[in-house]
């Protein structure tokens, strides 16, 4: 059975509305950077929107479409995230807002 890929991340919003952050996972002991440029959404008001996300892990670089959506209609501080590489949803995450920082987890499988 293949090992499930899980990790954790945080994002801070820049003054322009882009995202800067770091992540780590159970497959590598290092912490890496990730940045995401906003393409759809309200730049200054919320994390909700669509971004072009770029990160390096080891010697490889990845680019994905990152979509951040509200997790629940009744709570503005919980979010669902999906990273799509090409046409494949590759990573799924959940996050909460804490002191204007988005903190969460991600995985390579969808929760049931």
């Amino acid at each position: 059975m293949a090992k499930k890929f899980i990790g954790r991340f945080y994002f801070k919003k820049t003054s322009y509305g882009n995202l800067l952050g770091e992540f780590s996972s159970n497959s590598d002991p290092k912490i890496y950077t990730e940045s995401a440029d906003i393409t759809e959404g309200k730049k200054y008001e919320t994390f909700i929107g669509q971004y072009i996300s770029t990160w390096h892990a080891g010697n490889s670089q990845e680019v994905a479409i990152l979509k951040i959506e509200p997790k629940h209609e009744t709570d503005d501080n919980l979010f669902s995230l999906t990273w799509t590489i090409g046409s494949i949803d590759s990573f799924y995450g959940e996050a909460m807002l804490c002191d204007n920082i988005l903190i969460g987890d991600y995985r390579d499988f969808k929760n049931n």
Side-chain angles (χ1 to χ4, degrees):
M1 177 182 226
K3 183 178 180 179
K4 291 183 178 182
F5 186 88
I6 56 172
R8 73 269 333 136
F9 68 90
Y10 74 85
F11 281 124
K12 294 181 179 182
K13 201 156 188 69
T14 69
S15 58
Y16 187 74
N18 297 315
L19 306 178
L20 295 175
E22 295 179 313
F23 69 94
S24 64
S25 74
N26 64 334
S27 69
D28 191 329
K30 294 183 180 180
I31 297 173
Y32 295 98
T33 59
E34 181 173 1
S35 64
D37 298 331
I38 192 164
T39 59
E40 294 177 21
K42 298 179 179 178
K43 291 181 181 180
Y44 310 110
E45 296 176 24
T46 178
F47 282 86
I48 295 170
Q50 185 169 295
Y51 303 81
I52 297 174
S53 180
T54 307
W55 67 91
H56 296 267
N59 294 325
S60 68
Q61 177 181 339
E62 295 288 345
V63 177
I65 299 299
L66 169 59
K67 189 170 186 179
I68 302 177
E69 302 174 295
K71 175 79 174 156
H72 301 290
E73 292 179 17
T74 58
D75 193 331
D76 293 338
N77 294 311
L78 297 174
F79 303 88
S80 294
L81 294 85
T82 305
W83 287 262
T84 303
I85 300 174
S87 61
I88 299 170
D89 290 345
S90 299
F91 300 103
Y92 308 89
E94 294 183 5
M96 66 180 187
L97 192 57
C98 178
D99 293 333
N100 296 319
I101 299 172
L102 199 62
I103 301 169
D105 67 274
Y106 69 97
R107 59 209 167 275
D108 65 355
F109 57 94
K110 205 169 197 177
N111 269 356
N112 293 331

